Amino acid sequence: MLTRIDHIGIACFDLDKTVEFYRATYGFEVYHSEVNEEQGVREAMLRINATDDGGASYLQLLEPTREDSAVGKWLAKNGEGVHHIAFGTADVDGDAEAIRGKGVRVLYDEPRTGSMGSRITFLHPKDCHGVLTELVTSAQPSADHSSAEH
């Protein structure tokens, strides 16, 4: 069962400049940052608030590390802006299978590793009214959520 909006992914050309905009304009601070080599992105998670299920909601800022990454290709075609929406779930595997059973294409056969050690998969935007949709099962929280580069 989907429990919350986990994050909204925003593609950007310059992560540092975009982080500074969100800090200066809204007061949001970086909760976590990392480089995800598999996805080809450098990212910053800006925590917006805690949620009733013990999770949180974030803005995820994404800068491609290579032009051939999914985010790099998307930026080249669309420019900066909202890239995807992610819903939190306690069981990404089960929910992905249930949604697949309703005729929605799930892009990964098995969930992959996402931000902060989460497990993720994506749903095809053509099956979700034009919205790239991510399902996220958060990793157990660790003691240090500072801006550590991985």
PDB file of all heavy atoms in Angstrom, residues 2 83-85 87 99-100 102-107 121-135:
ATOM      1  N   LEU A   2       0.621   2.142  -0.900  1.00  0.00           N
ATOM      2  CA  LEU A   2       1.373   3.383  -0.963  1.00  0.00           C
ATOM      3  C   LEU A   2       0.975   4.257   0.221  1.00  0.00           C
ATOM      4  O   LEU A   2      -0.205   4.423   0.508  1.00  0.00           O
ATOM      5  CB  LEU A   2       1.108   4.086  -2.286  1.00  0.00           C
ATOM      6  CG  LEU A   2       1.368   3.234  -3.539  1.00  0.00           C
ATOM      7  CD1 LEU A   2       1.080   4.038  -4.794  1.00  0.00           C
ATOM      8  CD2 LEU A   2       2.768   2.677  -3.547  1.00  0.00           C
ATOM      9  N   HIS A  83      10.909  15.799 -12.958  1.00  0.00           N
ATOM     10  CA  HIS A  83      11.267  14.591 -13.702  1.00  0.00           C
ATOM     11  C   HIS A  83      10.363  13.424 -13.333  1.00  0.00           C
ATOM     12  O   HIS A  83       9.949  12.669 -14.190  1.00  0.00           O
ATOM     13  CB  HIS A  83      12.735  14.249 -13.410  1.00  0.00           C
ATOM     14  CG  HIS A  83      13.227  13.021 -14.088  1.00  0.00           C
ATOM     15  ND1 HIS A  83      13.297  11.804 -13.447  1.00  0.00           N
ATOM     16  CD2 HIS A  83      13.672  12.825 -15.346  1.00  0.00           C
ATOM     17  CE1 HIS A  83      13.770  10.910 -14.288  1.00  0.00           C
ATOM     18  NE2 HIS A  83      14.007  11.490 -15.447  1.00  0.00           N
ATOM     19  N   HIS A  84      10.059  13.275 -12.039  1.00  0.00           N
ATOM     20  CA  HIS A  84       9.217  12.163 -11.602  1.00  0.00           C
ATOM     21  C   HIS A  84       8.632  12.434 -10.220  1.00  0.00           C
ATOM     22  O   HIS A  84       9.069  13.337  -9.516  1.00  0.00           O
ATOM     23  CB  HIS A  84       9.997  10.841 -11.585  1.00  0.00           C
ATOM     24  CG  HIS A  84      11.085  10.783 -10.546  1.00  0.00           C
ATOM     25  ND1 HIS A  84      12.351  11.271 -10.775  1.00  0.00           N
ATOM     26  CD2 HIS A  84      11.095  10.296  -9.281  1.00  0.00           C
ATOM     27  CE1 HIS A  84      13.098  11.079  -9.698  1.00  0.00           C
ATOM     28  NE2 HIS A  84      12.351  10.498  -8.768  1.00  0.00           N
ATOM     29  N   ILE A  85       7.645  11.621  -9.862  1.00  0.00           N
ATOM     30  CA  ILE A  85       7.079  11.627  -8.515  1.00  0.00           C
ATOM     31  C   ILE A  85       7.279  10.232  -7.936  1.00  0.00           C
ATOM     32  O   ILE A  85       7.179   9.240  -8.663  1.00  0.00           O
ATOM     33  CB  ILE A  85       5.590  12.041  -8.500  1.00  0.00           C
ATOM     34  CG1 ILE A  85       5.097  12.191  -7.061  1.00  0.00           C
ATOM     35  CG2 ILE A  85       4.741  11.080  -9.307  1.00  0.00           C
ATOM     36  CD1 ILE A  85       3.747  12.886  -6.957  1.00  0.00           C
ATOM     37  N   PHE A  87       6.305   7.529  -4.758  1.00  0.00           N
ATOM     38  CA  PHE A  87       5.425   7.173  -3.646  1.00  0.00           C
ATOM     39  C   PHE A  87       6.133   6.193  -2.737  1.00  0.00           C
ATOM     40  O   PHE A  87       6.769   5.238  -3.200  1.00  0.00           O
ATOM     41  CB  PHE A  87       4.123   6.541  -4.162  1.00  0.00           C
ATOM     42  CG  PHE A  87       3.273   7.489  -4.945  1.00  0.00           C
ATOM     43  CD1 PHE A  87       3.164   7.365  -6.316  1.00  0.00           C
ATOM     44  CD2 PHE A  87       2.595   8.521  -4.311  1.00  0.00           C
ATOM     45  CE1 PHE A  87       2.378   8.244  -7.057  1.00  0.00           C
ATOM     46  CE2 PHE A  87       1.806   9.407  -5.039  1.00  0.00           C
ATOM     47  CZ  PHE A  87       1.699   9.268  -6.409  1.00  0.00           C
ATOM     48  N   ILE A  99       0.605  -3.651  -8.974  1.00  0.00           N
ATOM     49  CA  ILE A  99       0.370  -2.643 -10.009  1.00  0.00           C
ATOM     50  C   ILE A  99       0.606  -3.240 -11.397  1.00  0.00           C
ATOM     51  O   ILE A  99      -0.155  -2.978 -12.330  1.00  0.00           O
ATOM     52  CB  ILE A  99       1.242  -1.398  -9.744  1.00  0.00           C
ATOM     53  CG1 ILE A  99       0.725  -0.694  -8.475  1.00  0.00           C
ATOM     54  CG2 ILE A  99       1.259  -0.465 -10.936  1.00  0.00           C
ATOM     55  CD1 ILE A  99       1.647   0.384  -7.931  1.00  0.00           C
ATOM     56  N   ARG A 100       1.619  -4.080 -11.532  1.00  0.00           N
ATOM     57  CA  ARG A 100       1.864  -4.787 -12.806  1.00  0.00           C
ATOM     58  C   ARG A 100       0.632  -5.614 -13.171  1.00  0.00           C
ATOM     59  O   ARG A 100       0.229  -5.668 -14.335  1.00  0.00           O
ATOM     60  CB  ARG A 100       3.094  -5.678 -12.692  1.00  0.00           C
ATOM     61  CG  ARG A 100       3.409  -6.429 -13.980  1.00  0.00           C
ATOM     62  CD  ARG A 100       4.630  -7.331 -13.843  1.00  0.00           C
ATOM     63  NE  ARG A 100       5.841  -6.547 -14.050  1.00  0.00           N
ATOM     64  CZ  ARG A 100       6.863  -6.503 -13.211  1.00  0.00           C
ATOM     65  NH1 ARG A 100       6.849  -7.194 -12.092  1.00  0.00           N
ATOM     66  NH2 ARG A 100       7.920  -5.773 -13.488  1.00  0.00           N
ATOM     67  N   LYS A 102      -2.310  -4.929 -12.734  1.00  0.00           N
ATOM     68  CA  LYS A 102      -3.375  -4.049 -13.222  1.00  0.00           C
ATOM     69  C   LYS A 102      -3.060  -3.501 -14.609  1.00  0.00           C
ATOM     70  O   LYS A 102      -3.745  -2.607 -15.095  1.00  0.00           O
ATOM     71  CB  LYS A 102      -3.585  -2.906 -12.228  1.00  0.00           C
ATOM     72  CG  LYS A 102      -4.101  -3.409 -10.889  1.00  0.00           C
ATOM     73  CD  LYS A 102      -4.227  -2.297  -9.877  1.00  0.00           C
ATOM     74  CE  LYS A 102      -4.718  -2.884  -8.562  1.00  0.00           C
ATOM     75  NZ  LYS A 102      -4.839  -1.881  -7.515  1.00  0.00           N
ATOM     76  N   GLY A 103      -1.988  -4.031 -15.237  1.00  0.00           N
ATOM     77  CA  GLY A 103      -1.665  -3.651 -16.603  1.00  0.00           C
ATOM     78  C   GLY A 103      -0.693  -2.492 -16.745  1.00  0.00           C
ATOM     79  O   GLY A 103      -0.461  -2.025 -17.860  1.00  0.00           O
ATOM     80  N   VAL A 104      -0.099  -2.029 -15.658  1.00  0.00           N
ATOM     81  CA  VAL A 104       0.872  -0.944 -15.720  1.00  0.00           C
ATOM     82  C   VAL A 104       2.264  -1.553 -15.862  1.00  0.00           C
ATOM     83  O   VAL A 104       2.631  -2.463 -15.117  1.00  0.00           O
ATOM     84  CB  VAL A 104       0.794  -0.061 -14.448  1.00  0.00           C
ATOM     85  CG1 VAL A 104       1.888   0.988 -14.444  1.00  0.00           C
ATOM     86  CG2 VAL A 104      -0.587   0.583 -14.347  1.00  0.00           C
ATOM     87  N   ARG A 105       3.025  -1.053 -16.825  1.00  0.00           N
ATOM     88  CA  ARG A 105       4.381  -1.567 -17.023  1.00  0.00           C
ATOM     89  C   ARG A 105       5.305  -1.095 -15.905  1.00  0.00           C
ATOM     90  O   ARG A 105       5.395   0.097 -15.615  1.00  0.00           O
ATOM     91  CB  ARG A 105       4.938  -1.107 -18.370  1.00  0.00           C
ATOM     92  CG  ARG A 105       4.285  -1.836 -19.543  1.00  0.00           C
ATOM     93  CD  ARG A 105       4.745  -1.266 -20.859  1.00  0.00           C
ATOM     94  NE  ARG A 105       3.974  -0.026 -21.079  1.00  0.00           N
ATOM     95  CZ  ARG A 105       4.118   0.760 -22.139  1.00  0.00           C
ATOM     96  NH1 ARG A 105       5.016   0.479 -23.059  1.00  0.00           N
ATOM     97  NH2 ARG A 105       3.369   1.831 -22.273  1.00  0.00           N
ATOM     98  N   VAL A 106       5.994  -2.057 -15.279  1.00  0.00           N
ATOM     99  CA  VAL A 106       7.014  -1.784 -14.273  1.00  0.00           C
ATOM    100  C   VAL A 106       8.349  -1.884 -15.003  1.00  0.00           C
ATOM    101  O   VAL A 106       8.626  -2.873 -15.681  1.00  0.00           O
ATOM    102  CB  VAL A 106       6.921  -2.796 -13.106  1.00  0.00           C
ATOM    103  CG1 VAL A 106       8.020  -2.552 -12.088  1.00  0.00           C
ATOM    104  CG2 VAL A 106       5.533  -2.731 -12.446  1.00  0.00           C
ATOM    105  N   LEU A 107       9.184  -0.860 -14.875  1.00  0.00           N
ATOM    106  CA  LEU A 107      10.375  -0.768 -15.712  1.00  0.00           C
ATOM    107  C   LEU A 107      11.514  -1.700 -15.310  1.00  0.00           C
ATOM    108  O   LEU A 107      12.351  -2.034 -16.140  1.00  0.00           O
ATOM    109  CB  LEU A 107      10.879   0.675 -15.761  1.00  0.00           C
ATOM    110  CG  LEU A 107       9.883   1.673 -16.373  1.00  0.00           C
ATOM    111  CD1 LEU A 107      10.500   3.062 -16.454  1.00  0.00           C
ATOM    112  CD2 LEU A 107       9.418   1.230 -17.747  1.00  0.00           C
ATOM    113  N   THR A 121      11.703   1.068  -7.825  1.00  0.00           N
ATOM    114  CA  THR A 121      11.379   0.699  -9.192  1.00  0.00           C
ATOM    115  C   THR A 121      10.562   1.833  -9.784  1.00  0.00           C
ATOM    116  O   THR A 121      10.085   2.723  -9.064  1.00  0.00           O
ATOM    117  CB  THR A 121      10.648  -0.651  -9.287  1.00  0.00           C
ATOM    118  OG1 THR A 121      10.695  -1.108 -10.640  1.00  0.00           O
ATOM    119  CG2 THR A 121       9.218  -0.581  -8.788  1.00  0.00           C
ATOM    120  N   PHE A 122      10.428   1.825 -11.101  1.00  0.00           N
ATOM    121  CA  PHE A 122       9.682   2.872 -11.794  1.00  0.00           C
ATOM    122  C   PHE A 122       8.540   2.264 -12.588  1.00  0.00           C
ATOM    123  O   PHE A 122       8.624   1.124 -13.043  1.00  0.00           O
ATOM    124  CB  PHE A 122      10.595   3.644 -12.758  1.00  0.00           C
ATOM    125  CG  PHE A 122      11.531   4.588 -12.075  1.00  0.00           C
ATOM    126  CD1 PHE A 122      12.788   4.170 -11.667  1.00  0.00           C
ATOM    127  CD2 PHE A 122      11.158   5.904 -11.834  1.00  0.00           C
ATOM    128  CE1 PHE A 122      13.659   5.036 -11.038  1.00  0.00           C
ATOM    129  CE2 PHE A 122      12.023   6.777 -11.212  1.00  0.00           C
ATOM    130  CZ  PHE A 122      13.275   6.350 -10.804  1.00  0.00           C
ATOM    131  N   LEU A 123       7.497   3.062 -12.780  1.00  0.00           N
ATOM    132  CA  LEU A 123       6.340   2.698 -13.605  1.00  0.00           C
ATOM    133  C   LEU A 123       6.406   3.528 -14.887  1.00  0.00           C
ATOM    134  O   LEU A 123       6.778   4.705 -14.860  1.00  0.00           O
ATOM    135  CB  LEU A 123       5.041   2.976 -12.858  1.00  0.00           C
ATOM    136  CG  LEU A 123       4.940   2.390 -11.444  1.00  0.00           C
ATOM    137  CD1 LEU A 123       3.611   2.793 -10.796  1.00  0.00           C
ATOM    138  CD2 LEU A 123       5.122   0.887 -11.453  1.00  0.00           C
ATOM    139  N   HIS A 124       6.035   2.917 -15.992  1.00  0.00           N
ATOM    140  CA  HIS A 124       6.142   3.583 -17.296  1.00  0.00           C
ATOM    141  C   HIS A 124       5.225   4.809 -17.347  1.00  0.00           C
ATOM    142  O   HIS A 124       4.040   4.710 -17.033  1.00  0.00           O
ATOM    143  CB  HIS A 124       5.769   2.609 -18.414  1.00  0.00           C
ATOM    144  CG  HIS A 124       6.294   3.031 -19.732  1.00  0.00           C
ATOM    145  ND1 HIS A 124       5.838   4.142 -20.399  1.00  0.00           N
ATOM    146  CD2 HIS A 124       7.276   2.497 -20.511  1.00  0.00           C
ATOM    147  CE1 HIS A 124       6.489   4.289 -21.534  1.00  0.00           C
ATOM    148  NE2 HIS A 124       7.373   3.295 -21.628  1.00  0.00           N
ATOM    149  N   PRO A 125       5.769   5.958 -17.750  1.00  0.00           N
ATOM    150  CA  PRO A 125       4.940   7.167 -17.784  1.00  0.00           C
ATOM    151  C   PRO A 125       3.750   7.078 -18.733  1.00  0.00           C
ATOM    152  O   PRO A 125       2.706   7.675 -18.466  1.00  0.00           O
ATOM    153  CB  PRO A 125       5.915   8.272 -18.219  1.00  0.00           C
ATOM    154  CG  PRO A 125       7.098   7.570 -18.784  1.00  0.00           C
ATOM    155  CD  PRO A 125       7.149   6.208 -18.165  1.00  0.00           C
ATOM    156  N   LYS A 126       3.863   6.313 -19.816  1.00  0.00           N
ATOM    157  CA  LYS A 126       2.734   6.202 -20.741  1.00  0.00           C
ATOM    158  C   LYS A 126       1.555   5.472 -20.115  1.00  0.00           C
ATOM    159  O   LYS A 126       0.428   5.630 -20.570  1.00  0.00           O
ATOM    160  CB  LYS A 126       3.169   5.516 -22.036  1.00  0.00           C
ATOM    161  CG  LYS A 126       4.053   6.405 -22.880  1.00  0.00           C
ATOM    162  CD  LYS A 126       4.382   5.784 -24.204  1.00  0.00           C
ATOM    163  CE  LYS A 126       5.246   6.744 -25.019  1.00  0.00           C
ATOM    164  NZ  LYS A 126       5.641   6.159 -26.304  1.00  0.00           N
ATOM    165  N   ASP A 127       1.811   4.687 -19.061  1.00  0.00           N
ATOM    166  CA  ASP A 127       0.739   3.994 -18.358  1.00  0.00           C
ATOM    167  C   ASP A 127       0.235   4.777 -17.150  1.00  0.00           C
ATOM    168  O   ASP A 127      -0.713   4.350 -16.488  1.00  0.00           O
ATOM    169  CB  ASP A 127       1.214   2.610 -17.891  1.00  0.00           C
ATOM    170  CG  ASP A 127       1.593   1.708 -19.053  1.00  0.00           C
ATOM    171  OD1 ASP A 127       1.196   1.994 -20.206  1.00  0.00           O
ATOM    172  OD2 ASP A 127       2.305   0.714 -18.808  1.00  0.00           O
ATOM    173  N   CYS A 128       0.887   5.913 -16.858  1.00  0.00           N
ATOM    174  CA  CYS A 128       0.563   6.723 -15.665  1.00  0.00           C
ATOM    175  C   CYS A 128       0.250   8.163 -16.068  1.00  0.00           C
ATOM    176  O   CYS A 128       0.695   9.112 -15.411  1.00  0.00           O
ATOM    177  CB  CYS A 128       1.728   6.673 -14.682  1.00  0.00           C
ATOM    178  SG  CYS A 128       2.117   5.026 -14.075  1.00  0.00           S
ATOM    179  N   HIS A 129      -0.480   8.325 -17.166  1.00  0.00           N
ATOM    180  CA  HIS A 129      -0.921   9.633 -17.644  1.00  0.00           C
ATOM    181  C   HIS A 129       0.226  10.612 -17.822  1.00  0.00           C
ATOM    182  O   HIS A 129       0.123  11.796 -17.468  1.00  0.00           O
ATOM    183  CB  HIS A 129      -2.000  10.202 -16.721  1.00  0.00           C
ATOM    184  CG  HIS A 129      -3.219   9.343 -16.690  1.00  0.00           C
ATOM    185  ND1 HIS A 129      -4.256   9.503 -17.582  1.00  0.00           N
ATOM    186  CD2 HIS A 129      -3.540   8.280 -15.907  1.00  0.00           C
ATOM    187  CE1 HIS A 129      -5.174   8.581 -17.343  1.00  0.00           C
ATOM    188  NE2 HIS A 129      -4.759   7.831 -16.336  1.00  0.00           N
ATOM    189  N   GLY A 130       1.342  10.124 -18.363  1.00  0.00           N
ATOM    190  CA  GLY A 130       2.473  10.983 -18.690  1.00  0.00           C
ATOM    191  C   GLY A 130       3.427  11.264 -17.542  1.00  0.00           C
ATOM    192  O   GLY A 130       4.360  12.045 -17.705  1.00  0.00           O
ATOM    193  N   VAL A 131       3.223  10.627 -16.390  1.00  0.00           N
ATOM    194  CA  VAL A 131       4.058  10.895 -15.217  1.00  0.00           C
ATOM    195  C   VAL A 131       4.949   9.688 -14.932  1.00  0.00           C
ATOM    196  O   VAL A 131       4.448   8.590 -14.652  1.00  0.00           O
ATOM    197  CB  VAL A 131       3.193  11.205 -13.973  1.00  0.00           C
ATOM    198  CG1 VAL A 131       4.074  11.447 -12.760  1.00  0.00           C
ATOM    199  CG2 VAL A 131       2.287  12.402 -14.243  1.00  0.00           C
ATOM    200  N   LEU A 132       6.271   9.882 -15.019  1.00  0.00           N
ATOM    201  CA  LEU A 132       7.192   8.847 -14.574  1.00  0.00           C
ATOM    202  C   LEU A 132       6.995   8.704 -13.072  1.00  0.00           C
ATOM    203  O   LEU A 132       7.087   9.685 -12.325  1.00  0.00           O
ATOM    204  CB  LEU A 132       8.639   9.228 -14.895  1.00  0.00           C
ATOM    205  CG  LEU A 132       9.708   8.226 -14.454  1.00  0.00           C
ATOM    206  CD1 LEU A 132       9.511   6.866 -15.132  1.00  0.00           C
ATOM    207  CD2 LEU A 132      11.087   8.790 -14.745  1.00  0.00           C
ATOM    208  N   THR A 133       6.665   7.498 -12.623  1.00  0.00           N
ATOM    209  CA  THR A 133       6.313   7.254 -11.225  1.00  0.00           C
ATOM    210  C   THR A 133       7.274   6.250 -10.631  1.00  0.00           C
ATOM    211  O   THR A 133       7.537   5.205 -11.226  1.00  0.00           O
ATOM    212  CB  THR A 133       4.863   6.737 -11.127  1.00  0.00           C
ATOM    213  OG1 THR A 133       3.993   7.698 -11.757  1.00  0.00           O
ATOM    214  CG2 THR A 133       4.440   6.533  -9.684  1.00  0.00           C
ATOM    215  N   GLU A 134       7.784   6.579  -9.454  1.00  0.00           N
ATOM    216  CA  GLU A 134       8.724   5.714  -8.746  1.00  0.00           C
ATOM    217  C   GLU A 134       8.050   5.169  -7.495  1.00  0.00           C
ATOM    218  O   GLU A 134       7.273   5.870  -6.842  1.00  0.00           O
ATOM    219  CB  GLU A 134       9.965   6.532  -8.355  1.00  0.00           C
ATOM    220  CG  GLU A 134      11.049   5.747  -7.662  1.00  0.00           C
ATOM    221  CD  GLU A 134      12.263   6.608  -7.330  1.00  0.00           C
ATOM    222  OE1 GLU A 134      12.232   7.839  -7.556  1.00  0.00           O
ATOM    223  OE2 GLU A 134      13.244   6.043  -6.830  1.00  0.00           O
ATOM    224  N   LEU A 135       8.341   3.920  -7.178  1.00  0.00           N
ATOM    225  CA  LEU A 135       7.922   3.314  -5.906  1.00  0.00           C
ATOM    226  C   LEU A 135       9.178   3.142  -5.065  1.00  0.00           C
ATOM    227  O   LEU A 135      10.198   2.664  -5.558  1.00  0.00           O
ATOM    228  CB  LEU A 135       7.259   1.960  -6.140  1.00  0.00           C
ATOM    229  CG  LEU A 135       6.060   1.946  -7.091  1.00  0.00           C
ATOM    230  CD1 LEU A 135       5.519   0.518  -7.222  1.00  0.00           C
ATOM    231  CD2 LEU A 135       4.978   2.899  -6.642  1.00  0.00           C
TER     232      LEU A 135
END
